[in-house]
Amino acid sequence: MGDVGYLKVKIEELLKERNISKNKICFDLRIQRTQLNRYCKGDVQRLDVNLLCRICDYTNCRIQDVIEYIPRTEKVLKEDGEDTVH
């Protein structure tokens, strides 16, 4: 979470809402489960635009359903339980 905010990846929530298993989407889109897991955990440094487009097409959603920009001024709960402003 840098000085300019961050992107929240919402793929896991999207899959749950649409009742799509990780195994199914990985099989259908021919992506590795480890890659999808990294996206679900928000553990990616560079987003694969082609993959995001394929996920949007597959789930029939918009990009804002998959990723969301969180401004640095928005309060987030730190791991230690204290509110902080980013």
Side-chain angles (χ1 to χ4, degrees):
M1 291 179 251
D3 293 337
V4 296
Y6 67 99
L7 291 176
K8 177 181 178 186
V9 181
K10 304 185 297 184
I11 294 173
E12 193 152 24
E13 295 92 341
L14 179 69
L15 295 178
K16 285 180 184 177
E17 286 174 8
R18 292 190 167 44
N19 200 26
I20 300 170
S21 73
K22 288 181 182 180
N23 287 336
K24 178 159 178 49
I25 194 170
C26 287
F27 179 80
D28 291 346
L29 295 182
R30 291 174 175 75
I31 59 174
Q32 297 215 2
R33 177 70 182 256
T34 54
Q35 182 182 18
L36 182 66
N37 283 337
R38 281 195 300 267
Y39 273 82
C40 289
K41 293 176 186 175
D43 186 26
V44 290
Q45 296 299 313
R46 297 176 191 218
L47 297 174
D48 181 339
V49 175
N50 182 268
L51 175 59
L52 294 174
C53 289
R54 290 167 48 209
I55 289 171
C56 287
D57 182 63
Y58 184 83
T59 59
N60 192 31
C61 72
R62 298 171 300 168
I63 193 65
Q64 55 265 41
D65 298 324
V66 178
I67 56 175
E68 175 184 4
Y69 173 68
I70 307 297
R72 69 182 175 96
T73 57
E74 200 168 297
K75 282 191 172 185
V76 294
L77 190 62
K78 288 175 51 176
E79 289 180 14
D80 62 5
E82 296 178 18
D83 282 339
T84 186
V85 176
H86 290 277

